[in-house]
């Protein structure tokens, strides 16, 4: 009798898991409490996988041998709790996909910086000519890709939600960049539960594996001794030089590995700011563990383009830089963004507040010359910064926010969208917010250019 697998959630990961399960001969059924997009419906129909949307039919789901759920579905959801009560295994798409790859896994987690580190690591391995796949919380589903192709290496961005679904998943290289309280509603509002989730990335590693950890992060440093490691720990640092690992100083990124030192100039990096030095340390050290030569890494680093919505340059009008950091949906991410610039900043901030403590930004907000609040409720932001910033404006229009930013700025200054908040009050998601920012800058560029032409006639 075929093993029956139920997929809860038909997003990118769920649909990918369904396609892989079908290809491997399982009896598959997909259930999504919301609506399934047309592209995924087409994929399910082509593979002859039955599905339902707008409901979870309990008697169908609880008849499963195994459930693969979307990371966004909390373990406390009633249908998941009922499945667990019946001793039905509930796992994540990455856990399922792991059982069908022969490749080495590079798994990257942290509250911030995951996407940049994942993309930079993938870029360096790809440029070196390695067989490498990209997946996890970014790009295409790992399971979906395994239907047609396996890779020698997989670079996977892993959220805490995905890590919570791991049972046997074992990364050859696990990377922990930082931990800042986030998503605490998922962890009983206990930061220690969130920390434990991040550290569990390493729980299945053995002596042949590597753990790359930024040990100067406060929460990581405070909790490191509480966790057991069977793998080799390589530290990422700024203050003290690790015997083996990576560190950064004003001249560059230095890798200490196998009693050899490898130095890469800061000028090679296209990503700026101290937090991106941590990301670069992790990516370069990983590349060295994958036996990539220094010359190839040095050649590839300047070719890397920053990811969308993460300190992404989207325009320059009369010397004024416009930077899209829409993915900065918490205070910690904004801290890194503000710290990345020495020029005066016109800061566009706001949205759905997630319990933000804006005092964490006091040390890096001294070069903010004006604040533009973009959201429906800006009172908390205004209350905190009214005595620290001379100019605070408000709007609920992205186009108006960009126009305000331009009028308030001068040559060699920065208009930075770094919201510190979720986007759902005015936008579909952070991507929509970032795309609208980019479009508004493009429209402003055109307007300024047409005005210049008309004045010269």
């Amino acid at each position: 009798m075929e093993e029956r697998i139920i997929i809860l959630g038909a997003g990118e990961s769920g649909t990918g898991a369904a396609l892989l399960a079908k290809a491997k001969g399982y009896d598959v059924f997909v259930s999504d409490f919301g609506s399934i997009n047309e592209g995924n419906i087409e994929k399910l129909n082509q593979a002859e996988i039955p599905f339902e949307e707008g409901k979870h039919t309990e008697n169908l789901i609880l008849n499963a041998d195994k459930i693969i759920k979307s990371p966004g579905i909390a373990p406390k959801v009633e249908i998941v709790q009922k499945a667990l009560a019946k001793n039905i295994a509930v796992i994540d798409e990455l856990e399922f996909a792991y059982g069908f790859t022969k490749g080495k896994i590079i798994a990257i987690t942290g509250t911030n910086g995951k996407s940049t580190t994942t993309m930079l690591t993938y870029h360096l391995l790809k440029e070196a000519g390695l067989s490498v796949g990209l997946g996890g919380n970014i790009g295409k589903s790992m399971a979906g890709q395994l239907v047609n192709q396996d890779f020698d290496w997989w670079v996977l961005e892993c959220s805490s939600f995905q890590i919570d679904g791991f049972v046997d998943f074992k990364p050859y290289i696990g990377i922990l960049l930082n931990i800042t309280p986030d998503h605490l509603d998922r962890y009983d509002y206990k930061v220690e539960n969130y920390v434990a989730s991040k550290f569990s990335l390493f729980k299945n590693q053995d002596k042949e594996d590597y753990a790359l950890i930024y040990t100067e992060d406060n929460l990581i440093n405070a909790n490191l001794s509480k966790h057991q490691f069977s793998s080799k720990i390589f530290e990422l640092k700024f203050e003290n030089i690790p015997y083996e690992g990576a560190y950064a100083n004003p001249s560059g990124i230095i890798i200490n590995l196998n009693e050899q030192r490898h130095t890469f100039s800061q000028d090679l990096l296209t990503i700026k700011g101290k937090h991106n030095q941590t990301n670069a340390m992790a990516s370069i050290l990983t590349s060295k563990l994958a036996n990539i030569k220094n010359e190839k890494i040095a050649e590839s680093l300047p070719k890397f383009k920053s990811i969308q919505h993460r300190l992404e340059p989207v325009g320059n009008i009369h010397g004024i830089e416009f930077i899209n950091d829409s993915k900065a949906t918490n205070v910690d991410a904004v801290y890194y963004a503000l710290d990345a610039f020495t020029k005066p900043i016109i800061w566009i901030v706001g949205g759905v507040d997630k319990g933000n403590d804006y005092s964490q930004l006091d040390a890096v907000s001294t070069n903010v010359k004006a604040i533009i609040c973009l959201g429906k409720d800006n009172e908390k932001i205004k209350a905190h910064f009214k005595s620290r910033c001379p100019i605070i404006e408000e709007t609920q229009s992205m186009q108006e926010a960009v126009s305000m930013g331009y009028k308030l700025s001068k040559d060699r200054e920065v208009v930075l969208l770094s919201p510190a908040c979720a986007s759902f009050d005015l936008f579909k998601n952070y991507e929509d917010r970032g795309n609208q920012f980019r479009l508004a800058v493009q429209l402003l560029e055109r307007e300024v250019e047409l005005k210049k032409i008309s004045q010269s006639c």
Side-chain angles (χ1 to χ4, degrees), residues 85-271:
K86 289 192 66 176
N87 293 317
I88 300 170
V90 180
I91 63 171
D92 182 87
E93 172 247 350
L94 291 180
E95 171 69 21
F96 181 64
Y98 175 75
F100 297 99
T101 179
K102 294 180 180 179
K104 290 182 176 180
I105 303 291
I106 301 165
I108 299 159
T109 196
T111 307
N112 296 296
K114 296 186 297 295
S115 297
T116 299
T117 306
T118 301
M119 292 301 298
L120 178 56
T121 303
Y122 173 76
H123 168 78
L124 294 175
L125 270 61
K126 187 79 172 173
E127 287 289 310
L130 300 186
S131 164
V132 55
L134 175 73
N137 207 36
I138 195 169
K140 297 179 180 178
S141 156
M142 179 186 182
Q145 293 178 73
L146 281 167
V147 174
N148 299 309
Q149 182 180 11
D150 195 4
F151 294 95
D152 294 338
W153 294 85
W154 286 91
V155 183
L156 305 175
E157 177 185 328
C158 298
S159 69
S160 57
F161 296 172
Q162 289 168 314
I163 295 171
D164 292 339
F166 292 168
V167 179
D168 298 316
F169 183 96
K170 184 175 80 74
Y172 174 63
I173 300 172
I175 299 171
L176 177 56
L177 298 165
N178 49 64
I179 303 177
T180 303
D182 200 12
H183 304 298
L184 293 188
D185 56 329
R186 184 79 170 249
Y187 295 97
D188 297 326
Y189 295 95
K190 295 178 179 177
V191 70
E192 61 267 29
N193 294 348
Y194 178 60
V195 170
S197 174
K198 291 295 189 187
F199 271 98
S200 67
L201 176 70
F202 308 106
K203 65 183 179 182
N204 295 321
Q205 287 190 312
D206 57 38
K207 63 182 181 180
E208 302 301 322
D209 302 320
Y210 298 91
L212 279 52
I213 302 175
Y214 177 46
T215 53
E216 290 174 352
D217 176 271
N218 290 336
L219 275 173
I220 291 176
N221 187 45
N223 288 275
L224 192 62
S225 62
K226 300 175 185 177
H227 296 270
Q228 297 289 325
F229 289 85
S230 299
S231 52
K232 304 178 188 75
I233 298 179
F234 284 0
E235 295 183 84
L236 313 175
K237 308 187 84 167
F238 288 91
E239 301 299 329
N240 299 308
I241 300 172
Y243 173 71
E244 282 202 303
Y247 66 99
N249 61 29
S251 64
I253 304 291
I254 297 94
I255 307 296
N256 285 341
L257 185 63
N258 298 327
E259 299 184 353
Q260 292 186 322
R261 179 173 294 184
H262 312 273
T263 302
F264 300 87
S265 170
Q266 293 282 7
D267 295 337
L268 296 172
L269 301 181
T270 59
I271 48 178

Side-chain angles (χ1 to χ4, degrees), residues 393-407:
E393 301 286 351
E394 289 189 86
T395 181
Q396 292 187 22
S397 160
M398 180 61 80
Q399 194 163 348
E400 187 176 24
V402 169
S403 181
M404 282 180 180
Y406 179 65
K407 290 174 183 175

Side-chain angles (χ1 to χ4, degrees), residues 402-414:
V402 169
S403 181
M404 282 180 180
Y406 179 65
K407 290 174 183 175
L408 290 168
S409 56
K410 298 177 181 178
D411 183 23
R412 298 183 179 277
E413 295 183 346
V414 174

